[in-house]
Amino acid sequence: ELAALTSGALLSNQSASVKWSLPPSNVVKVNVDTGFVLAQRKACSRVIIHDADGQILGACSRLTM
């Protein structure tokens, strides 16, 4: 079910392209992304944490039904 929610079946209404950038030194960047399928009452949330070198410090995803 998580694969179905994250496979691109969800459409975004964003039309602008946004480029991700590294955070300043001694700072971490936390990116959060979420999507949902209203008809199925399901949502998927993802979190990833990067440091100033671009290293992934932590990541998780959660399917909510």
Side-chain angles (χ1 to χ4, degrees):
E1 291 173 310
L2 180 60
L5 286 174
T6 60
S7 69
L10 302 175
L11 298 176
S12 173
N13 62 357
Q14 290 181 326
S15 60
S17 178
V18 178
K19 184 175 184 226
W20 187 87
S21 60
L22 291 171
S25 297
N26 300 322
V27 174
V28 297
K29 187 176 239 185
V30 179
N31 292 97
V32 178
D33 183 32
T34 188
F36 63 94
V37 178
L38 187 59
Q40 297 178 9
R41 298 181 56 134
K42 295 181 182 178
C44 179
S45 299
R46 297 175 285 197
V47 177
I48 188 164
I49 304 168
H50 291 271
D51 66 9
D53 295 322
Q55 297 295 312
I56 297 173
L57 304 177
C60 69
S61 62
R62 181 157 310 221
L63 178 64
T64 305
M65 303 194 300

